[in-house]
Amino acid sequence: MEEIRLLKVINKLGIHAHAACQIVELAGKYMAELFLQKDSREVDGSSILSILSLACPKGSEIRARTVGVDAKKFMDDLERLFKSKFGETEYEQYRPRKKEMKMKGFPVSPGITIGKAHHLNRSRMTVFYRKLVNKKEVEREIDRFKHAVDMAKEQIKKFKSNIPEQVKGYAFVLDTHLMILGDSLIFDSTIQRIQKEKVNAEWALKQSVNTIHKLFKKVEDEYIGRRMDDVDSVSERVLSNLAGVDLDSLTEIKKEVIIVAHVLSPCDIVEIDVNHVRGILTDVGGRTSHMAIMSEALEIPVIVGLESATDIIIDGDLLIVDGNTGEVIVNPDPDTIITYEDRKKRYYRYKSAIDRVRHLPAETPDGYKITIKANIEFLAETKAAIENGAEGVGLYRTEYLYMIKKDFPDEETLFDDYSQIAKMVAPNTVTIRTLDIASDKMMASDSYMMETTRENNPALGLRSIRLCLKERNVFQTQLRAILRASVYGNFRLIFPMISGLGQFLEAKRVLKSVMRTLDREGIEYNREIPIGILIEIPSATSIADILARHADFFSIGTNDLIQYALAIDRDNEHVAHLYEPFHPAVLRMIHQVVEAGNNEGIDVSLCGEIAGDPLAILILLSLGLEEFSMNIGSIPLIKKIIRMLPLRAVRDQFKGILQLPTSEKVESFVLKQAQSLLPDIFKEGVFRYRATGIS
């Protein structure tokens, strides 16, 4: 069936980007094709670029042709769209501010998308103070609070029962929210405030949350610190219930949009239909928030930390979202749209090519086998790691189970988690890291520690292996669980933040004592489990030759090594630009550790963020490393790069890199070599390749 009509452009701005976007959106709703003709040229009506290329100002006449089952319905709606002036009015808020504008945030999920903004009201509830006058009001307020908490629990359970397949592995996050609702620091504390201070439930809850914020304020580790986002999300849901306000639901979105919100919770992510939501922008949030981690599984571009997106972006604005760079372009010019449409095509073309090699071995053209593993934080990430081509887990961070419970997890809870990951990854290796948190991060788990171990500088205080050696019971419980789970797969055990030989030998003594206990109890474990050191302190790099005589393997943790070596907090906005992964001192430290390991015949791998950086991987290969562990999303691209690189040529061309005096000179040198060795990737500028902190 075919329908043909002449349509006149009567809106003041003509068929601009916003109008073209509406035509394409309409085209997606019908089982019919659209062709638009101006003068003698006919174009595809489902392509924004093709429509814009017709250059149709006000007064233009267009011949529209629809072909297919819904041809007439489609044409009727298209004609109405033209007659409605594409939504423009005399006071058109195609707004005086329709000038192109750029914003920058933190990219957490890659990809490029172009679409219209849809505001989602997730602003914080305004809380007012109200004094209660008698015992009856106090009791009524406690009942209100309990009812609001019960409602929140039911809402979260409902979300969990309807969780989409893409994020089903993260159902435990919703379990965490349920646990937070019942935590004494939230539930009991709020009730006690209502009783003692005689204040309304909203105010009491807000004060309880503020107290928890203070407890987390000194947390240096970004991942642990972001767990405060879960507390905020839960408390906002309870506050909404107290106010009788229904939160905007994402299930009601029935057209393709880009969500713009102050913040999103894991419950919001569970509601998302990826057929309609094409991207996410938030004012706040970090790369390690549960929302960010879950949204990456949806495979749509997501940018967080934009600060003022909800103030600047107006509902319906046309947006370009570049999840590779963290850039958002508001109301882009036609030329910008054309540029990004081209970039988008190239990105997905290269992504498709890269995805095809994810399950192939990371072997160079000249026959060198490189091992690529994944860094993971939750058991739920294991499946995604394997699907992305990981050849094992190079770093399993074990802190999560210690942060979601009021008390320390018992041996059986840890054993269940560790044995599951061992089975899932077998026969490949899991390198499991012992507890790596500071004493202040355990405040919520132990009231005694909360009062006695607060520190002014937890990053340099009682943390990681130091804390484990002090709190032997906690350490031994974890070691027992790891050893028991080791019979279900292929485990390697690694101790973090080792600063000297004495410390490492002491940790090994504790491990041996746990082994003897298991022997007496007749419990099976892998007696030959390899024991390694996570090299992340400059003192450890200086004595790497000594440590190598006593360790079975090294793994270089560059995230902390760079911070400690350069005295830079990469999460501090005032000095983050000084966090330089390509600093000559850092490269020399890595080289020193690799040489020490090689001299003693032990394996040396690298598990920092720079392992997933396409530019950094060239340097790391040139320094002699042949095993890497990285964020899951980086694996396919790094595999693709390695399969294109002749390793002998890389090591030959990079011989002088340790003599370069500055980060800038290192980056300039590497980029030049990369463009020569990998022109398809680096000349196109499609992928993000600068590691965090590189200017």
Side-chain angles (χ1 to χ4, degrees), residues 51 99 103 134 158 181 327 377 385 428 480 618 650:
I51 297 170
K99 201 171 175 184
M103 302 179 71
N134 55 45
K158 186 177 178 182
L181 281 168
E327 191 167 68
E377 293 163 345
N428 286 326
R480 279 180 62 94
L618 296 168
V650 171

Side-chain angles (χ1 to χ4, degrees), residues 566-612:
L566 305 181
I568 295 297
D569 176 5
R570 64 180 180 155
D571 295 320
N572 183 323
E573 61 192 46
H574 303 296
V575 294
H577 64 286
L578 298 175
Y579 179 89
E580 298 175 325
F582 291 177
H583 193 291
V586 173
L587 303 188
R588 291 185 181 200
M589 285 180 176
I590 293 171
H591 184 246
Q592 185 175 350
V593 174
V594 172
E595 283 207 320
N598 290 343
N599 289 340
E600 291 297 327
I602 66 171
D603 290 339
V604 182
S605 61
L606 187 140
C607 63
E609 270 186 25
I610 63 171

Side-chain angles (χ1 to χ4, degrees), residues 55-260:
C56 302
K58 183 179 179 181
S60 301
E61 274 201 337
I62 294 177
R63 179 180 181 269
R65 182 166 62 95
T66 53
V67 182
V69 177
D70 296 332
K72 186 173 185 312
K73 288 182 183 177
F74 186 3
M75 187 64 80
D76 289 343
D77 273 356
L78 184 63
E79 189 169 17
R80 277 192 285 272
L81 186 61
F82 272 73
K83 287 179 178 177
S84 72
K85 301 181 180 180
F86 299 96
E88 290 177 24
T89 68
E90 285 178 60
Y91 309 96
E92 179 49 23
Q93 315 233 345
Y94 185 52
R95 305 159 256 258
R97 190 231 344 124
K98 278 285 181 186
K99 201 171 175 184
E100 178 176 296
M101 176 184 178
K102 293 183 180 179
M103 302 179 71
K104 185 87 171 180
F106 298 111
V108 296
S109 182
I112 298 170
T113 191
I114 301 173
K116 289 193 292 184
H118 176 85
H119 272 259
L120 195 71
N121 184 8
R122 288 294 182 267
S123 55
R124 295 280 164 86
M125 296 288 295
T126 302
V127 175
F128 296 100
Y129 172 87
R130 181 166 58 86
K131 189 72 175 174
L132 307 179
V133 296
N134 55 45
K135 187 177 179 181
K136 192 173 182 181
E137 280 198 1
V138 169
E139 290 173 353
R140 189 186 307 128
E141 212 60 22
I142 291 173
D143 287 341
R144 278 184 71 233
F145 174 67
K146 288 180 177 178
H147 179 62
V149 170
D150 288 341
M151 281 181 67
K153 287 180 179 178
E154 289 306 312
Q155 290 159 351
I156 292 170
K157 286 175 184 175
K158 186 177 178 182
F159 287 132
K160 187 179 175 186
S161 66
N162 296 321
I163 195 165
E165 191 62 39
Q166 298 103 312
V167 291
K168 197 162 268 185
Y170 293 97
F172 68 90
V173 174
L174 302 186
D175 290 331
T176 303
H177 282 208
L178 290 170
M179 293 175 70
I180 291 171
L181 281 168
D183 193 281
S184 62
L185 289 174
I186 286 280
F187 190 78
D188 296 345
S189 172
T190 300
I191 291 174
Q192 288 166 12
R193 287 179 191 277
I194 295 171
Q195 290 171 329
K196 291 179 182 178
E197 300 174 24
K198 292 183 170 55
V199 293
N200 56 312
E202 292 89 343
W203 188 263
L205 174 58
K206 200 70 176 174
Q207 298 314 303
S208 297
V209 172
N210 288 343
T211 299
I212 300 171
H213 268 281
K214 289 175 185 174
L215 294 181
F216 276 74
K217 196 173 182 182
K218 291 182 180 179
V219 173
E220 297 285 336
D221 186 288
E222 184 190 13
Y223 164 68
I224 302 297
R226 293 260 55 116
R227 300 292 70 79
M228 195 62 223
D229 293 344
D230 296 316
V231 176
D232 288 336
S233 172
V234 164
S235 65
E236 286 297 317
R237 182 164 293 280
V238 175
L239 288 171
S240 296
N241 291 339
L242 285 167
V245 175
D246 291 329
L247 296 173
D248 291 347
S249 174
L250 278 83
T251 58
E252 295 171 7
I253 297 172
K254 301 300 180 187
K255 56 184 180 179
E256 291 191 5
V257 296
I258 294 168
I259 295 294
V260 181

Side-chain angles (χ1 to χ4, degrees), residues 372-378 381-382 385 390 392-399 421 429-434 436 492-496 533-536 553 555-560 605-609 627-632:
I372 304 296
K373 298 180 180 180
N375 296 334
I376 66 173
E377 293 163 345
F378 317 111
E381 292 179 294
T382 310
V393 173
L395 180 65
Y396 186 33
R397 302 177 174 105
T398 58
E399 291 70 45
I421 193 171
T429 305
V430 175
T431 300
I432 187 165
R433 183 179 74 182
T434 57
D436 186 16
R492 297 197 308 177
L493 177 62
I494 195 163
F495 295 125
I533 297 174
L534 191 59
I535 303 288
E536 51 191 343
F553 67 95
S555 185
I556 305 173
T558 49
N559 294 358
D560 273 341
S605 61
L606 187 140
C607 63
E609 270 186 25
E627 181 178 319
F628 305 95
S629 188
M630 60 197 66
N631 294 334
I632 295 169

Side-chain angles (χ1 to χ4, degrees), residues 329-521:
I329 303 175
V330 186
N331 299 316
D333 296 333
D335 287 347
T336 306
I337 294 174
I338 291 169
T339 298
Y340 270 88
E341 280 284 5
D342 180 55
R343 189 175 295 180
K344 180 180 174 182
K345 286 177 184 173
R346 285 186 287 122
Y347 169 77
Y348 286 106
R349 186 172 65 243
Y350 277 102
K351 185 177 185 299
S352 176
I354 285 162
D355 286 344
R356 286 197 291 271
V357 306
R358 67 172 67 188
H359 292 299
L360 296 176
E363 187 172 325
T364 67
D366 50 350
Y368 287 87
K369 175 67 174 71
I370 308 299
T371 304
I372 304 296
K373 298 180 180 180
N375 296 334
I376 66 173
E377 293 163 345
F378 317 111
L379 183 64
E381 292 179 294
T382 310
K383 183 181 176 185
I386 294 168
E387 287 175 350
N388 275 275
E391 302 163 284
V393 173
L395 180 65
Y396 186 33
R397 302 177 174 105
T398 58
E399 291 70 45
Y400 179 72
L401 291 174
Y402 290 82
M403 300 308 301
I404 64 171
K405 297 176 71 67
K406 180 183 174 184
D407 302 313
F408 293 124
D410 58 31
E411 182 180 326
E412 289 307 312
T413 300
L414 296 173
F415 167 72
D416 181 59
D417 186 87
Y418 302 160
S419 58
Q420 283 190 64
I421 193 171
K423 292 172 189 173
M424 290 172 75
V425 178
N428 286 326
T429 305
V430 175
T431 300
I432 187 165
R433 183 179 74 182
T434 57
L435 193 57
D436 186 16
I437 54 178
S439 59
D440 68 315
K441 298 170 192 176
M442 302 168 87
M443 291 174 183
S445 298
D446 192 300
S447 57
Y448 173 76
M449 291 183 71
M450 181 172 69
E451 297 301 324
T452 60
T453 59
R454 240 172 252 178
E455 299 178 293
N456 290 328
N457 194 343
L460 301 179
L462 186 61
R463 61 167 294 190
S464 198
I465 195 65
R466 302 169 185 175
L467 179 64
C468 288
L469 292 175
K470 182 176 185 296
E471 301 293 329
R472 294 290 174 99
N473 290 338
V474 176
F475 193 30
Q476 289 168 341
T477 298
Q478 184 180 33
L479 291 175
R480 279 180 62 94
I482 292 171
L483 288 171
R484 286 176 56 200
S486 67
V487 298
Y488 293 94
N490 190 1
F491 266 5
R492 297 197 308 177
L493 177 62
I494 195 163
F495 295 125
M497 208 180 174
I498 295 294
S499 58
L501 179 61
Q503 202 174 48
F504 180 57
L505 295 178
E506 181 63 19
K508 287 180 75 174
R509 277 193 287 272
V510 176
L511 177 66
K512 294 294 183 187
S513 72
V514 172
M515 287 178 166
R516 287 193 293 272
T517 302
L518 292 177
D519 286 336
R520 286 194 297 270
E521 295 173 12

